[in-house]
């Protein structure tokens, strides 16, 4: 199953995310607080397949609470604002509790804006058991890349940015291989972000080849354009 969570904050326009969802249609859609507004935008664009199965949160950032009246009361779960979890974490926890081995979890939203703390808190989830498989955030997608995972990245333009980050578990360690980048894995940094503002090599672009990145050890996050066509192989989405 494909679980899709919508949360507040900057998110890609539905048309920008269409290539991603053409490969992975949603099976179980969750809205976290003001993520319901974004979800409704996607539903208008894509149709009923983006109807929510669960709406949850403290609803403190939902500008128009009357939106909740459009949905059956039994799919709405309201939490107190005095809680030790963000609405995004509550939604991810719900998805993980329903998910089985091989299922996939996508998070949409939580990008940019005035709340850098929210952005950092979501990125930190890649180091936790609540991590999504992919986070669609503005014009970029963040892909979890653990040991044994391999990625084939197509539809890259010469100026598209390809970056590789470590999760917050560690600033060092791990091992990757790459093919088709301007600066390959042997040039990656040994500490901090291994590669920032990398891009497809001109020769790879001219031959219309995909960039390939694989992880031998450790945990990383690939930061790619939302428009990239990404194939991931290796471990199933849930363990």
């Amino acid at each position: 199953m494909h679980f899709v969570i919508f949360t507040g904050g900057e998110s890609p326009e539905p048309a920008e995310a269409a290539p991603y969802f053409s490969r992975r249609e949603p099976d179980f859609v969750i809205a976290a607080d003001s993520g319901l507004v974004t979800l409704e935008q996607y539903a208008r664009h894509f149709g009923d397949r983006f109807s929510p199965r669960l709406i949850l949160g403290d609803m403190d950032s939902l500008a128009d609470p009357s939106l909740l009246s459009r949905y059956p009361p039994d799919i709405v779960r309201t939490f107190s604002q005095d809680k030790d979890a963000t609405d995004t974490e509550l939604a991810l926890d719900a998805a993980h509790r329903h998910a089985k081995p091989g299922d996939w979890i996508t998070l949409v939203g939580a990008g940019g804006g005035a709340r850098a703390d929210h952005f950092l808190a979501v990125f930190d989830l890649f180091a936790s058991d609540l991590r999504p498989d992919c986070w669609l955030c503005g014009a970029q997608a963040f892909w979890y890349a653990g040991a044994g995972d391999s990625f084939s990245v197509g539809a890259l333009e010469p100026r598209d940015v390809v970056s590789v980050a470590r999760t917050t578990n560690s600033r060092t360690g791990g091992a990757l291989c790459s093919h088709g980048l301007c600066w390959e894995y042997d040039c990656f940094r040994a500490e901090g972000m291994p590669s920032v503002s990398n891009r497809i090599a001109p020769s790879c672009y001219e031959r219309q080849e995909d960039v390939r990145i694989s992880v031998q050890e450790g945990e990383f996050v690939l930061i790619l354009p939302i428009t990239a066509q990404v194939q991931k192989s290796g471990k199933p989405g849930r363990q």
Side-chain angles (χ1 to χ4, degrees), residues 2-212:
H2 181 195
F3 295 83
V4 181
I5 297 167
F6 289 86
T7 191
E10 183 181 352
S11 60
E13 293 295 323
E16 295 175 324
Y20 179 86
F21 287 111
S22 68
R23 293 169 176 257
R24 299 176 179 82
E25 290 197 358
D27 299 300
F28 195 109
V29 177
I30 302 172
D33 205 320
S34 61
L36 180 61
V37 176
T38 304
L39 185 155
E40 291 195 339
Q41 293 174 349
Y42 275 61
R44 287 192 292 270
H45 183 89
F46 292 108
D48 290 344
R49 54 185 166 150
F50 278 84
S51 297
R53 297 271 296 275
L54 178 63
I55 301 168
L56 55 75
D58 55 26
M59 310 306 171
D60 65 338
S61 59
L62 188 62
D64 183 7
S66 69
L67 293 180
L68 296 173
S69 64
R70 301 179 186 177
Y71 301 96
D74 61 338
I75 71 167
V76 179
R77 295 176 57 197
T78 304
F79 291 78
S80 169
Q81 294 184 25
D82 298 323
K83 61 185 187 305
D84 191 28
T86 67
D87 294 328
T88 301
E89 290 171 333
L90 292 173
L92 283 165
D93 179 66
H96 278 277
R97 283 189 284 105
H98 285 89
K100 297 178 181 178
D103 288 346
W104 188 267
I105 297 177
T106 299
L107 176 65
V108 182
R115 294 299 303 269
D117 54 341
H118 282 180
F119 179 89
L120 292 171
V122 172
F123 183 81
D124 188 51
L125 292 173
F126 281 109
S128 77
D129 291 338
L130 291 179
R131 64 176 178 262
D133 293 289
C134 186
W135 173 24
L136 306 184
C137 168
Q140 294 178 303
F142 292 62
W143 294 75
Y144 174 76
D149 288 337
S150 296
F151 296 81
S152 180
V153 185
L156 289 171
E157 295 298 323
R159 296 184 64 85
D160 283 340
V161 171
V162 175
S163 295
V164 182
R166 288 183 171 85
T167 69
T168 53
N169 279 331
S170 176
R171 282 185 52 81
T172 61
L176 304 105
C177 283
S178 66
H179 173 77
L181 293 171
C182 279
W183 300 281
E184 298 285 21
Y185 65 96
D186 53 348
C187 297
F188 286 4
R189 299 174 181 176
E191 184 174 352
M193 284 189 68
S195 185
V196 183
S197 297
N198 211 329
R199 56 183 183 267
I200 187 171
S203 58
C204 186
Y205 177 75
E206 290 169 3
R207 292 193 297 268
Q208 298 184 328
E209 295 180 353
D210 289 355
V211 167
R212 299 193 300 273

